[in-house]
Amino acid sequence: MSIGNVVGSERIVHLPQTVPILESAPDFIEKLPVAIYACDARGRLLWFNKRAVELWGRTPVLGSDNELHTALISSVSMGEITRGDTPMATVLRTGIPVRGAETIIERPDGSSISAMVDIEPIEDQDGRVIGAINCLHDITNRSQADEIIKQQDQRLAATYHQAGIGIAEVNAEGKIERANAHLAGLLGYAPEELIGRSVFDPELAENVETDLREFERQVRGEIDCYRHEKRFLRKDGTKIWVAVTSSSVRDAQGRFLHAVRVQNDITARKQAEAALVRHMEEQAALYEFTDGLQRAENLAEIYELALDTIMRALHADRASILRFDEAGVLKFVAVRNLSKLYQQAVQGHSPWSLDTTEPDPITIGDIERSELPESLKAKIRGEGITALAFIPIVSGGQLLGKFMTYYNSEHAFRDSELRFALTVARQLGFALDRVRLEDARQRTERAASQLVAIVESSHDAIVSKDLNGTIMTWNASAERLFGYRADEAIGRNITMVIPDERLGEEPEILGRIRRGENVDHFETIRRRKDGSLVDISLTISPIRDSRGRIMGASKIARDITDRKAAEAKLRANERQLKDLLAAIPAAIYTTDAEGKITYFNEAAVELSGRTPEIGKDEWCVTWKLYRPDGTPLPHDECPMAIALKEGRSIRNMEAVAERPDGVRIPFIPYPTPLRDENGKIVGGINMLVDISERKQAETQQRLLFNELNHRVKNNMQMLQSLLRMAGQKTGNEEARHILREAGNRVAAMAAAQQVLYGTVNSTHFNAGDFLRAVCETIRQTFPEDVSIAYEMDDAELPNDSAMPLALILNELLTNALKYGTSGAADTIRVGLRRDGEAFRIFVEDNGPGFDLAAVRHRSSGLRLVQGLARQLRGELTVTTAPNTQCTVRFS
């Protein structure tokens, strides 16, 4: 025992593991005309007043284990009893008060007095008995005792009604016989309105069945106390959650007199628990949504994923997604539970204009109290909708549309709910933008491939020239039509094929080209290399650079000797070739058979950042070349060099050109060998398609994925923190174990997610990187002296298998740690190996092993592993010799 601080005039004595003890009773207790003392939960004296000393005939020692429950030398009531059987000991043990019990007290001097005992237990907020107070009335003089009892009852009644907790006395029929002011205020009634009402009245409380069953057991004497949580209905119609502790009060023969029911308002706690559950549901839905977006291949799949998430996490009765069309009209693109009539009635309505830059979400908790036009209210009301929300979908600062949530009854929109809705809208916007960029890239590549194919396969002579008439390109059909090879024609003036009497046509044609005019189906005569004349029809179009400036002309020449056949064919091909050749979006150049540059267009100059030297530069017009990985690419190993050396077209390759100013441009080359009529290679033509925008789009896509990864990782970390906090706060060991297992599973999934986002391959991941990342994350929960040894093959696995494998590893490693290690320095072996056409993942330890069939029904972890194995079209097996090994073989 140690003496602590002085409080007022009283000194406090502190005992280990108990409450402070006063060495003497407070002044107001000293003035009471009755003997009174208090004990802690073990029965040690905490304090007593002078009247108790007079009654006992001695002064006991506070806090002593030798004076438990009472300071008497002996106490006799119906015979001598021990300290452990005294009324105080019984109250501390059962928590049931004793009132009006009579006893005979023997003093040290041998005298005896009669006393009446009133003992009340003291409970903490959780209902545990932490002590008791005993009032002793000397009833040797009965009239004096009666007066004392009356005063005590008055004081106890005042305490009862002023207590800061709801208290009611309920008879065996469940009816309220007495209720204090706090309980009445809690339920919104006057105390007298509660008297006579049943605590199981459906108009007073919900879900009373469980409470009633326990109360009936209490009345029968099967239990003395029970605790129950339920919702009460206040007089004003609002609902509150209350924790009820019902304790029996019995007479000396053990017969039930009434129950004392203590009511604690736990509404705030229940609201916090509900908010936590909602948040966990939202995070799980968001994870599944973002995970699904990675595999969505088209807009329909994206819309379905979004609607699933909206309906599930926001608990909406209906949902829809609307997007602006090319005319700026907002139209439905995906719906859940909305009639066609309603969609037609409200389509086109938008609270924001298309050029709104920072739209805010709009919520309407009850349309009847909204400021919507009455005509729109009628349409919404006719669909059975009472509340709705408008959530904008924005990407890159551009408003793409909105999604809507609808509710059949009034709805209070929480801030957390709107934050989640905006997060879903952002992810949806990212996904829509990703699909748009991918579509644009594919269209560009298709157009470029189609253009090259058209030029390569055309039967018409296709010639390009600058504004001075100098020939820049000369295809195989031009060779056949005019008799000049490409190396003979390129670089010469187009007048070499114009008869003298028609030389005046060229200045007129070039004048029209400079004015941006097209020359369609111009019929004329040209001269071949051998001097013979040929009737041709010319279609001439301006060639523009990337800024729209006219830099030359493209000619399509067709032999119209057989006029009718030629005209039909010309009209069919001219319309297609005219538009395509007039808008060539790529650099084009040609070489001779030895790779010397024979021609280049202005787009080639723009792309390479320099003017190539005709007849000197070899293989490519660019200054320097690099492979996509950044390593230098010698010019004599470039795609054009390979095409000419091997006599084949090169496709599906990429390279990077570096300009003299240091700027690097990624491009796709389309080198094609040019052959004469005998099949001999006489040169080559190459088109370089600038894919900088595509690379930027890919970079933007990677940034979007990185942002998505960051958000998912943060959400998973938040989920882990919430699970850990919940585990730390709960007093239930089973709940703590479940929350800890859930946190470990989320950590394993987060590690797998990190590997998926860290790989450059969008569909597969490296098995070794995955195994180490997930196992090292799980190992952080192991003791320091337990290590993991790895066995793995260099292999790529599909992304869909990542999450099941991560959860399988978590369960098997946790099981190995629990049952397969001895506590000393141990090593768990983990492997992911090829097994023929399949794979097997295993965890091996030194434990005694187990029979899978025998333990499967009582191990949720093993059942989870078997379910995940089936998901991978695999099977779990367990072997025990020479070591215990759990293996999942999957295809």
Side-chain angles (χ1 to χ4, degrees), residues 825-847:
D826 277 320
T827 298
I828 299 174
R829 290 163 295 284
V830 180
L832 181 53
R833 310 300 295 266
R834 289 185 181 277
D835 189 1
E837 294 297 321
F839 291 87
R840 62 185 181 91
I841 187 169
F842 65 89
V843 174
E844 181 177 314
D845 59 60
N846 300 322

Side-chain angles (χ1 to χ4, degrees), residues 560-598:
I560 58 171
T561 303
D562 188 354
R563 185 178 183 82
K564 291 184 179 180
E567 284 182 350
K569 191 173 184 179
L570 179 63
R571 284 193 299 271
N573 291 336
E574 183 273 333
R575 286 191 297 271
Q576 184 178 22
L577 292 174
K578 178 183 66 176
D579 294 336
L580 290 173
L581 295 177
I584 295 177
I588 296 178
Y589 71 93
T590 61
T591 71
D592 60 17
E594 287 70 41
K596 299 288 186 182
I597 303 297
T598 57

Side-chain angles (χ1 to χ4, degrees), residues 478-637:
E479 291 183 358
R480 292 191 295 270
L481 181 61
F482 298 112
Y484 292 92
R485 299 191 311 273
D487 58 334
E488 293 176 323
I490 293 173
R492 297 179 61 181
N493 198 281
I494 195 66
T495 56
M496 74 178 190
V497 297
I498 302 177
D500 294 341
E501 66 274 13
R502 290 183 178 269
L503 289 174
E505 295 175 355
E506 184 64 8
E508 181 182 349
I509 291 172
L510 290 176
R512 294 182 64 181
I513 291 299
R514 288 189 178 96
R515 294 192 297 272
E517 300 176 10
N518 291 336
V519 179
D520 295 331
H521 305 297
F522 177 72
E523 296 181 4
T524 185
I525 298 173
R526 291 295 182 257
R527 183 175 55 209
R528 293 190 176 102
K529 182 179 180 180
D530 61 6
S532 62
L533 299 178
V534 59
D535 291 318
I536 63 172
S537 175
L538 291 177
T539 298
I540 308 172
S541 304
I543 297 176
R544 301 176 185 272
D545 63 13
S546 59
R547 298 182 180 179
R549 297 176 299 188
I550 297 173
M551 52 177 288
S554 172
K555 286 188 176 183
I556 301 175
R558 178 171 294 176
D559 185 355
I560 58 171
T561 303
D562 188 354
R563 185 178 183 82
K564 291 184 179 180
E567 284 182 350
K569 191 173 184 179
L570 179 63
R571 284 193 299 271
N573 291 336
E574 183 273 333
R575 286 191 297 271
Q576 184 178 22
L577 292 174
K578 178 183 66 176
D579 294 336
L580 290 173
L581 295 177
I584 295 177
I588 296 178
Y589 71 93
T590 61
T591 71
D592 60 17
E594 287 70 41
K596 299 288 186 182
I597 303 297
T598 57
Y599 159 77
F600 56 87
N601 63 4
E602 285 297 320
V605 176
E606 181 71 18
L607 184 141
S608 62
R610 61 186 289 273
T611 302
E613 293 185 41
I614 300 294
K616 184 178 179 181
D617 287 357
E618 292 181 320
W619 309 118
C620 192
V621 296
T622 58
W623 186 51
K624 291 182 180 180
L625 285 172
Y626 295 89
R627 295 183 176 86
D629 62 4
T631 58
L633 175 62
H635 275 57
D636 60 357
E637 296 177 14

Side-chain angles (χ1 to χ4, degrees), residues 10 38 48-49 96 111 169 247 313 353 478 530 535 693 712 752 831 867:
E10 310 299 331
F48 50 83
N49 64 359
I96 301 173
S111 61
E169 292 181 4
S247 301
S353 61
D530 61 6
D535 291 318
E693 291 186 1
V712 171

Side-chain angles (χ1 to χ4, degrees), residues 303-436:
Y303 293 149
E304 285 303 304
L305 281 169
L307 290 177
D308 286 342
T309 302
I310 293 166
M311 295 284 288
R312 169 187 170 187
L314 298 179
H315 303 288
D317 299 306
R318 302 171 175 86
S320 66
I321 300 174
L322 299 92
R323 293 188 63 186
F324 289 102
D325 63 11
E326 294 180 357
V329 178
L330 203 57
K331 293 187 175 180
F332 288 91
V333 294
V335 299
R336 289 281 176 85
N337 305 331
L338 288 177
S339 68
K340 290 290 185 181
L341 184 63
Y342 177 80
Q343 295 176 50
Q344 294 170 358
V346 301
Q347 187 160 263
H349 174 268
S350 173
W352 320 284
S353 61
L354 182 58
D355 57 357
T356 304
T357 55
E358 295 182 359
D360 293 321
I362 298 173
T363 60
I364 300 175
D366 183 357
I367 61 168
E368 302 303 332
R369 296 195 294 269
S370 72
E371 297 179 359
L372 292 175
E374 188 57 39
S375 60
L376 184 57
K377 283 186 181 179
K379 296 173 183 176
I380 298 172
R381 191 186 300 116
E383 188 71 5
I385 298 170
T386 300
L388 65 164
F390 305 72
I391 309 299
I393 303 172
V394 179
S395 180
Q398 176 67 42
L399 180 62
L400 304 181
K402 66 179 179 179
F403 76 74
M404 303 280 299
T405 58
Y406 312 86
Y407 301 87
N408 296 340
S409 56
E410 292 184 19
H411 186 80
F413 292 91
R414 306 179 307 277
D415 290 343
S416 61
E417 183 178 359
L418 290 180
R419 287 195 297 271
F420 177 81
L422 288 173
T423 299
V424 171
R426 281 194 296 272
Q427 300 303 324
L428 180 56
F430 291 156
L432 296 177
D433 214 31
R434 173 177 63 82
V435 171
R436 180 186 63 80

